[in-house]
């Protein structure tokens, strides 16, 4: 059980399922304060009922970008400050190998990219002023290469990695930490049916331990090694492989 | 309505153990204070007042509130060199005061160990100095304050009105002090005659305070908190006496005579001294420093009076710039309790024993004499205060708080009091017991009338349940 969160104030965007829900649960259990943000409030309520003093649920659809700064401020008011924010919202609709469905693709752009920018910009504005806090984005190993199976999901995560890197470079001198987490497949609604997924409990515990370590992090050493190599495979060869 | 995020600032109390983010405003005009009040009402957000940020704990911070910092509201409006009456905006600091008036033969009637507090902050806390046993707190020397109340009223208060004694001392929770008229102390020399006396134990401490009480103008004693057994309470007492200078334009009244040197031992720039202190800032290091200071006090200058500038004597805390950084990143807390004279010897001795039993000796102990005053949240009693500094680390934090609570119990049993400017550890129950239910009821009534929406707050107010919204 991570003990690093006692008394800390956190916002979890996308807290209704998957890694986000587990992060919120572990933070609340570990003695931290957490504002949980999601579209499906009914999913947030049980945790808030269990820890009414420490969990503050907010209903918000991340595709409603204009609303983000206001909800962000409601969160920080409820928490009485902010130590870290984790943007976990993400979608990965099933895409066929020959499918080019713009609606599906743009839904990923909305949630994985635009929502992230709206929320993390708000956090960056605040933290640049206060010089305090961590911004954590859940990227993915999928963002390391453009692959056949998920063109837009791959690129949405690549966007997030580069955006977070830029935030990191901007905010480093202010003492603000920006952390990119690149999980592999993790047990969640998004990965139902996939094999070899990491239990969401483990992933969340690792993320909490990494929350103040500015930089990019894989959650498994095997991922780190594998993707070190995969990233360096020349394109002409890569397109002939079935990775 | 939400406030712009780029207004946010992270500020800490002086001890750096408590910090909070707030929406920072630094007004220069009275109209801006009114606008900020209106903003608070519209946005539903509270206001925390902050001066120079010298309160050690959480009195000058307010999580997610509007942080109203008065340091730019700092004009000296009027000074009469014949009477010594000075009229200032609340952001004027003690340093501004002495620099402005000294050459006319005036000195602030009460000063703290540092020259940086603002008058607004000093009156919120009703600060005291080494002359507390004669002069009382700074509020005793104020002839007029102008206060903006959150209910929209702006009033001028004088000592004849009860409200004057209620706004002063209540930690900026009833109204915003905008302007202060203060009676300065007339002096003819900028030097004091200072008498150092090395003291072997508690008995000696209390004896010398009572013995010097009539003649001295200032009294303070440093306590070595590592002294145990027969040496418990050992330290170095200083008395200061005003002196007369017959010359018409005394050189000692010039600021250049007063200014603290910027080197130590002639060569070392003071700006780096805290880095060396940091190396010593641990239990064995401070045990040694305290021992060395006490031992040298018995040999060097013991019992021999010498002249010292008012600034040099008064502002000991300003000798080493950034000294608080020597405590490291987790900071420190100051803990000062006020105990009636008849109980003080027992309570202070016991406080020291508790520290030694837990190996959490204060690295610095300072003792002073006080007299009661009639301010609502008065911290003074007819007795003594002992101020202690505790270094805080991740590991010792819980133990220090437990120790503080044990020491609080002793103080409460003896009918003692606490000082909000220095507090980090009080519970609402401890505070209520020390101040009395009458004072708290008066406060609650005033808060309802003067600040019906409970706009004025601070993290301290929330911690001690002085904020009805909390």
């Amino acid at each position: 059980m991570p003990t690093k969160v006692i008394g800390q104030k956190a916002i979890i965007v996308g807290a209704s399922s998957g890694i986000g829900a587990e992060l919120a649960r572990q933070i609340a259990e570990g003695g931290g304060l957490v504002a949980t943000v999601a579209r499906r409030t009914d999913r947030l309520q049980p945790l808030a009922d269990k820890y009414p003093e420490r969990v503050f649920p907010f209903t918000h659809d991340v595709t409603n970008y204009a609303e983000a700064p206001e909800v962000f401020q409601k969160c920080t008011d409820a928490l009485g400050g902010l130590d870290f924010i984790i943007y976990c919202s993400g979608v990965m609709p099933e895409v066929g190998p020959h499918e080019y469905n713009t609606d599906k693709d743009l839904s990923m752009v909305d949630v994985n990219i635009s929502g992230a920018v709206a929320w993390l910009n708000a956090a960056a504005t605040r933290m640049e002023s206060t010089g305090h806090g961590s911004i954590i984005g859940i990227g993915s190993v999928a963002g390391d290469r453009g692959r056949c199976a998920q063109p837009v999901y791959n690129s949405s995560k690549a966007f997030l990695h580069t955006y977070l890197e830029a935030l990191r470079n901007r905010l480093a001198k202010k003492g603000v930490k920006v952390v990119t987490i690149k999980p592999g497949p993790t047990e969640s609604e998004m990965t139902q049916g996939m094999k070899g997924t990491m239990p969401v409990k483990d992933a969340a515990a690792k993320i909490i331990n990494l929350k103040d370590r500015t930089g990019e992090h894989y959650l498994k050493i095997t991922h780190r090694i594998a993707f070190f190599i995969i990233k360096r495979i020349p394109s002409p060869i890569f397109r002939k492989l079935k990775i | 309505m939400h406030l712009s995020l780029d207004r946010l600032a992270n500020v800490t109390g002086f001890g750096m153990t408590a910090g909070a983010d707030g929406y920072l405003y630094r007004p220069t005009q009275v109209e801006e204070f009114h606008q900020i009040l209106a903003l608070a009402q519209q946005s539903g957000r509270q206001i925390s007042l902050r001066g120079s940020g010298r309160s050690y704990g959480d009195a000058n911070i307010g999580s997610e509130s509007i942080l109203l910092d008065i340091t730019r509201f700092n004009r000296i409006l009027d000074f009469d060199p014949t009477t010594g009456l000075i009229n200032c905006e609340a952001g004027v600091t003690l340093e501004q005061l002495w620099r402005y008036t000294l050459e006319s033969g005036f000195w602030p009637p009460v000063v703290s160990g540092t020259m940086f507090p603002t008058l607004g902050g000093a009156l919120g806390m009703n600060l005291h100095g080494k002359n507390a046993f004669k002069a009382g707190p700074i509020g005793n020397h104020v002839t007029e304050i102008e206060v903006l109340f959150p209910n929209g009223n702006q009033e001028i208060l004088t000592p004849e009105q009860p409200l004057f004694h209620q706004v002063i001392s209540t930690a900026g929770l009833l109204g915003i002090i905008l302007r202060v008229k203060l009676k300065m102390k007339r002096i003819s020399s900028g030097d004091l005659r200072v008498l150092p006396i090395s003291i072997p134990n508690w008995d000696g401490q209390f004896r010398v305070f009572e013995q010097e009480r009539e003649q001295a103008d200032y009294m303070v004693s440093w306590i070595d908190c590592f002294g145990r057994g027969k040496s418990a309470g050992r330290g170095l007492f200083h008395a200061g006496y005003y002196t007369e200078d017959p010359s018409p334009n005394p050189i000692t009244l010039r600021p250049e005579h007063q200014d603290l040197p910027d080197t130590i031992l002639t060569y070392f720039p003071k700006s780096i001294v805290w880095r060396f202190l940091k190396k010593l800032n641990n239990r064995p290091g401070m045990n040694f420093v305290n021992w060395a200071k006490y031992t040298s006090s018995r040999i060097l200058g013991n019992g021999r009076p010498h002249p010292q500038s008012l600034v040099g004597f008064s502002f000991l805390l300003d000798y080493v710039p950034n000294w608080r950084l020597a405590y490291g990143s987790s900071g420190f807390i100051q803990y000062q309790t006020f105990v009636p004279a008849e109980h003080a010897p027992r309570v202070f001795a016991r406080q020291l024993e508790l520290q030694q039993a837990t190996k959490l000796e204060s690295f610095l102990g300072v003792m002073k004499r006080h007299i009661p005053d009639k301010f609502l949240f008065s911290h003074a009693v007819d007795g003594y205060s002992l101020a202690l500094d505790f270094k805080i680390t991740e590991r010792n934090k819980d133990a220090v708080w437990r120790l503080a609570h044990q020491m609080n119990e002793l103080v409460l049993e003896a009918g003692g009091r606490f000082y909000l400017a220095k507090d980090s550890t009080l519970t609402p129950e401890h505070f209520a017991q020390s101040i009395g239910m009458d004072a708290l009821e008066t406060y609650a009534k005033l808060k309802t009338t003067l600040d019906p929406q409970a706009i004025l707050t601070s993290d301290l107010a929330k911690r001690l349940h002085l904020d009805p919204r909390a």
Side-chain angles (χ1 to χ4, degrees), chain B residues 194-259:
Chain B
V194 174
L195 172 66
I197 304 176
S198 180
I199 310 281
N201 53 32
W202 283 121
D203 277 353
Q205 295 284 4
F206 290 101
R207 203 174 318 123
V208 75
F209 269 96
E210 292 308 317
Q211 175 191 313
E212 286 299 315
R213 206 175 151 187
E214 291 302 314
Q215 312 89 295
D217 295 298
Y218 295 93
M219 292 195 297
V220 64
S221 195
W222 161 78
I223 309 279
D224 171 6
C225 295
F226 291 90
R228 49 176 73 220
K230 282 183 189 163
S231 299
R234 71 184 179 190
L236 178 59
F237 171 89
H238 279 105
Y241 312 83
Y242 291 119
T243 55
E244 296 294 321
D245 190 329
S247 73
N249 297 297
I251 271 180
T252 56
L253 293 181
R254 295 184 191 167
E256 46 277 31
H257 173 80
Q258 297 285 334
D259 272 328

Side-chain angles (χ1 to χ4, degrees), chain A residues 7-123:
Chain A
Q8 294 225 330
K9 296 156 184 172
I11 298 177
I12 305 293
V13 187
S16 58
S17 65
I19 294 180
E22 181 59 21
L23 280 167
R25 196 188 63 77
Q26 291 192 11
I27 294 166
E29 226 163 66
L33 300 173
V34 57
T36 51
V37 181
R39 198 165 26 111
R40 301 168 290 190
T41 327
D42 51 317
R43 300 258 194 123
L44 303 176
Q45 209 51 49
L47 190 68
D49 290 340
K50 194 169 171 195
Y51 302 103
E53 303 273 291
R54 302 214 291 274
V55 177
F56 310 98
F58 291 93
T59 312
H60 165 74
D61 182 345
V62 293
T63 61
N64 192 355
Y65 332 119
E67 198 190 66
E70 201 185 319
V71 183
F72 174 81
Q73 207 163 24
K74 280 184 188 159
C75 291
T76 54
D77 284 347
L79 294 167
L82 182 64
D83 295 307
F84 63 102
I85 177 169
I86 311 183
Y87 188 85
C88 309
S89 296
V91 290
M92 186 178 73
E94 206 167 303
V95 177
H98 310 289
E99 186 182 3
Y100 302 93
N101 182 327
T102 305
D103 283 344
K104 269 190 192 176
D105 285 351
L106 290 186
S107 75
M108 284 186 270
V109 171
D110 279 350
V111 175
N112 304 4
I113 297 181
S114 307
V117 170
W119 273 87
L120 300 186
N121 273 351

Side-chain angles (χ1 to χ4, degrees), chain A:
Chain A
M1 173 57 59
T3 54
K4 295 169 80 177
V5 291
I6 291 176
Q8 294 225 330
K9 296 156 184 172
I11 298 177
I12 305 293
V13 187
S16 58
S17 65
I19 294 180
E22 181 59 21
L23 280 167
R25 196 188 63 77
Q26 291 192 11
I27 294 166
E29 226 163 66
L33 300 173
V34 57
T36 51
V37 181
R39 198 165 26 111
R40 301 168 290 190
T41 327
D42 51 317
R43 300 258 194 123
L44 303 176
Q45 209 51 49
L47 190 68
D49 290 340
K50 194 169 171 195
Y51 302 103
E53 303 273 291
R54 302 214 291 274
V55 177
F56 310 98
F58 291 93
T59 312
H60 165 74
D61 182 345
V62 293
T63 61
N64 192 355
Y65 332 119
E67 198 190 66
E70 201 185 319
V71 183
F72 174 81
Q73 207 163 24
K74 280 184 188 159
C75 291
T76 54
D77 284 347
L79 294 167
L82 182 64
D83 295 307
F84 63 102
I85 177 169
I86 311 183
Y87 188 85
C88 309
S89 296
V91 290
M92 186 178 73
E94 206 167 303
V95 177
H98 310 289
E99 186 182 3
Y100 302 93
N101 182 327
T102 305
D103 283 344
K104 269 190 192 176
D105 285 351
L106 290 186
S107 75
M108 284 186 270
V109 171
D110 279 350
V111 175
N112 304 4
I113 297 181
S114 307
V117 170
W119 273 87
L120 300 186
N121 273 351
T125 312
R126 179 186 169 97
M127 290 181 183
E128 181 163 359
S129 301
T130 62
H132 170 80
S134 296
I135 293 175
I136 299 121
I138 307 295
S140 170
V141 294
D144 278 357
R145 268 330 267 261
R147 286 145 71 187
C148 297
Q150 282 287 357
V152 175
Y153 185 74
N154 293 161
S155 6
S156 75
K157 290 300 177 180
F159 176 98
L160 193 64
H161 299 167
T162 310
Y163 166 68
L164 288 169
E165 182 189 11
L167 284 190
R168 180 152 52 238
N169 296 338
R170 272 196 178 195
L171 297 173
K173 49 186 163 297
K174 305 280 179 185
V176 176
K177 291 149 201 143
V178 181
V179 181
T180 309
I181 304 286
K182 295 180 175 179
T186 309
E187 260 175 24
S188 70
E189 288 177 3
M190 203 165 83
T191 59
Q192 266 168 9
M194 273 195 201
K195 281 178 197 158
T197 54
M198 179 187 258
V200 76
K201 242 183 176 166
D202 298 355
K206 286 181 186 209
I207 292 166
I208 290 175
N209 282 325
L210 289 166
K211 73 181 176 53
D212 292 322
R213 301 231 336 246
T214 207
E216 292 195 348
H217 305 282
Y218 295 94
L219 295 183
K220 278 185 178 175
I221 181 83
T222 47
H223 286 159
R224 203 163 130 197
I225 297 163
F227 282 88
F228 179 85
I229 298 164
I230 291 169
K231 277 210 282 193
R232 283 162 182 77
I233 299 173
S235 253
I237 300 173
F238 193 75
R239 74 178 73 114
K240 294 190 175 69
L241 303 175
K242 286 182 182 162
I243 300 179

Side-chain angles (χ1 to χ4, degrees), chain B residues 56 112 121-122 124-129 334 336-338 368 377-379 417-424 426 431 460:
Chain B
Y56 289 78
S112 46
M125 293 304 176
N126 210 9
L127 152 167
H128 66 261
Q334 168 104 181
Q336 186 174 19
T337 50
F338 298 73
K368 291 193 283 275
F377 281 0
S378 169
H379 55 268
R417 295 210 166 186
F418 306 96
Y419 185 23
L420 297 182
K422 296 191 170 178
D423 177 55
S424 294
L426 279 181
F431 182 66
L460 174 125

